[in-house]
Amino acid sequence: MAGNREEAPDYGRGVVIMDDWPGYDLSLFTYPQHYYGDLAYVLIPHGIIVDRIERLAKDIMKDIGYCDIMVLCVLKGGYKFCADLVEHLKNISRNSDGYVSMKVDFIRLKSYRNDQSMDEMQIIGGDDLSTLAGKNILIVEDVVGTGRTMKALLSSIEKYKPNMIKVASLLVKRTPRSDGFRPDSHMCDQ
């Protein structure tokens, strides 16, 4: 008979890095020489990141369905993650019966001035947000911290009545200041 099993915690769709995780030893990896002496360990190996982004793309296509998507990439940190995610989404679309049209636009969010949080968030760049009306929106962000900035962005976009809004994030920080916001898809809790 099997021993006493504890219920596994529900981590949603992401990988969880526990606070006491020591990381992987650097001797297991190759990395550029200019990082020698600066790194102590590897938290998330590149292969895991690539695999999780591919999984996120599959989950997003399952959630959104095979319909046109307007991707809003939150700069600056979200650029590489967004490019990789969009490439996986395109591969899924190419290898399916239905074609998904994707348009990518870039925005910057400014919620801090001189390291102080501002009451209002500024959206910089991107097309006129009124063009989002009736569209399926995928917001791609690198890190969700407290969630306040993302909630403010969602509130701004919802005014234009898009058909659907989904949020994908590479990382979600565990922080006591969190307001409980969770992206629809994310790679990792840290």
Side-chain angles (χ1 to χ4, degrees):
M1 181 174 255
N4 207 5
R5 280 183 20 163
E6 290 183 30
E7 283 288 316
D10 178 17
Y11 298 129
R13 291 181 165 174
V15 173
V16 175
I17 300 174
M18 303 306 290
D19 291 338
D20 59 352
W21 165 240
Y24 294 98
D25 190 273
L26 290 176
S27 66
L28 298 171
F29 303 95
T30 59
Y31 55 97
Q33 190 172 6
H34 63 272
Y35 288 120
Y36 288 10
D38 292 333
L39 300 177
Y41 50 85
V42 173
L43 274 179
I44 311 169
H46 181 259
I48 291 175
I49 294 171
V50 171
D51 186 69
R52 282 296 302 147
I53 293 173
E54 183 176 359
R55 179 77 248 171
L56 286 176
K58 289 178 181 177
D59 290 345
I60 289 166
M61 292 301 276
K62 182 179 173 188
D63 287 350
I64 292 179
Y66 288 85
C67 52
D68 296 347
I69 303 170
M70 174 65 187
V71 178
L72 279 183
C73 175
V74 180
L75 295 174
K76 295 183 182 178
Y79 174 74
K80 176 70 171 128
F81 170 52
C82 182
D84 291 346
L85 182 61
V86 166
E87 188 60 34
H88 284 292
L89 291 168
K90 286 180 178 179
N91 286 337
I92 292 169
S93 174
R94 278 191 287 265
N95 294 315
S96 71
D97 293 335
Y99 174 75
V100 176
S101 171
M102 273 178 267
K103 181 180 178 196
V104 180
D105 204 356
F106 301 91
I107 59 172
R108 287 185 67 194
L109 305 177
K110 189 172 183 180
S111 58
Y112 289 88
R113 180 180 291 137
N114 299 330
D115 295 333
Q116 296 295 318
S117 180
M118 299 187 311
D119 289 336
E120 283 194 26
M121 178 200 60
Q122 290 179 291
I123 301 172
I124 302 166
D127 286 340
D128 176 11
L129 293 182
S130 67
T131 63
L132 302 178
K135 297 203 172 131
N136 299 307
I137 312 299
L138 175 63
I139 300 170
V140 181
E141 168 75 288
D142 62 342
V143 178
V144 172
T146 64
R148 283 191 290 268
T149 301
M150 187 53 64
K151 278 189 169 180
L153 175 60
L154 290 169
S155 177
S156 295
I157 291 173
E158 286 168 351
K159 292 175 189 172
Y160 299 101
K161 301 195 181 339
N163 183 48
M164 172 189 340
I165 306 174
K166 296 287 184 179
V167 177
S169 173
L170 183 63
L171 299 171
V172 176
K173 286 185 184 178
R174 284 189 310 271
T175 174
R177 299 178 324 184
S178 174
D179 65 5
F181 175 81
R182 304 292 291 177
D184 300 292
S185 303
H186 63 283
M187 190 194 94
C188 178
D189 285 344
Q190 104 178 107

